[in-house]
Amino acid sequence: VQTRGRILGYVEAHPGIHFSALRDALGLANGVTAHHLHQLEKVGEAISWQDGRRRRYAVSGVDPKRLHELQHPVTGMQRAILEILSDSGTLGITTTELGVKLEASRQLMAYHLGQLTEREFIAKDGRGRKATWSLSENGVGQLSVVRESALA
């Protein structure tokens, strides 16, 4: 029970941690870690999801918005878009200009701009080819979080 409490406390402090990082941080064996995580999920105290080849964990009471951010992190391309929009300031930049700067297809740009718009990190001004994109307040905040985590 003490081990389970340690695991739960660590997962709460590090939401989105993956199995091996948790195991190593607490100095536990694979089987012990797997057993206690399974028990915590079974009683509804922890949740997990697949992230590529890794399984990530969080406490079940994690804020749904935070959980969505953990499950759908800002990708490298999305970070690059946020950086370019940050540099463009209030003038904004068109989808075409973004695509040229990032050497990305129109379809790829549409996908990532859609993802960033859905999370309210960017805003669109105007319509069609003349429309410009700029950072929203949420985007400015997210960019500073992404920059800080890159420095850590």
Side-chain angles (χ1 to χ4, degrees), residues 19-39:
F19 179 88
S20 50
L22 175 63
R23 177 201 63 210
D24 295 349
L26 296 178
L28 301 170
N30 266 339
V32 172
T33 309
H35 168 76
H36 288 296
L37 284 169
H38 178 73
Q39 293 302 316

Side-chain angles (χ1 to χ4, degrees), residues 85-104:
L85 292 179
S86 174
D87 294 344
S88 74
T90 55
L91 293 175
I93 189 168
T94 67
T95 305
T96 306
E97 291 170 321
L98 271 170
V100 168
K101 283 182 185 261
L102 295 169
E103 298 178 14

Side-chain angles (χ1 to χ4, degrees), residues 116-128:
L116 291 168
T117 302
E118 186 179 302
R119 292 169 72 182
E120 299 177 354
F121 292 159
I122 61 174
K124 185 177 178 181
D125 187 37
R127 297 174 59 124

Side-chain angles (χ1 to χ4, degrees), residues 4-151:
R4 207 165 291 167
R6 284 180 59 217
I7 290 173
L8 196 59
Y10 202 85
V11 168
E12 188 171 11
H14 303 90
I17 191 166
H18 61 86
F19 179 88
S20 50
L22 175 63
R23 177 201 63 210
D24 295 349
L26 296 178
L28 301 170
N30 266 339
V32 172
T33 309
H35 168 76
H36 288 296
L37 284 169
H38 178 73
Q39 293 302 316
L40 287 167
E41 282 192 273
K42 204 164 127 182
V43 298
E45 291 186 39
I47 56 172
S48 70
W49 64 94
Q50 204 63 36
D51 178 19
R53 292 172 44 205
R54 295 184 165 162
R55 180 153 287 280
R56 297 195 176 271
Y57 296 87
V59 293
S60 55
V62 70
D63 174 51
K65 188 173 182 191
R66 176 78 174 113
L67 181 61
H68 185 267
E69 289 171 8
L70 292 168
Q71 291 175 332
H72 304 94
V74 172
T75 65
M77 175 64 85
Q78 292 167 5
R79 179 184 175 172
I81 291 169
L82 294 175
E83 292 282 0
I84 290 170
L85 292 179
S86 174
D87 294 344
S88 74
T90 55
L91 293 175
I93 189 168
T94 67
T95 305
T96 306
E97 291 170 321
L98 271 170
V100 168
K101 283 182 185 261
L102 295 169
E103 298 178 14
S105 69
R106 192 170 38 86
Q107 295 87 344
L108 189 62
M109 292 308 306
Y111 171 79
H112 287 295
L113 291 170
Q115 294 287 306
L116 291 168
T117 302
E118 186 179 302
R119 292 169 72 182
E120 299 177 354
F121 292 159
I122 61 174
K124 185 177 178 181
D125 187 37
R127 297 174 59 124
R129 291 185 182 184
K130 300 274 186 218
T132 56
W133 296 93
S134 56
L135 272 184
S136 67
E137 278 185 45
N138 287 349
V140 171
Q142 179 63 31
L143 190 55
S144 65
V145 166
V146 169
R147 285 174 177 161
E148 282 173 29
S149 66
L151 297 174

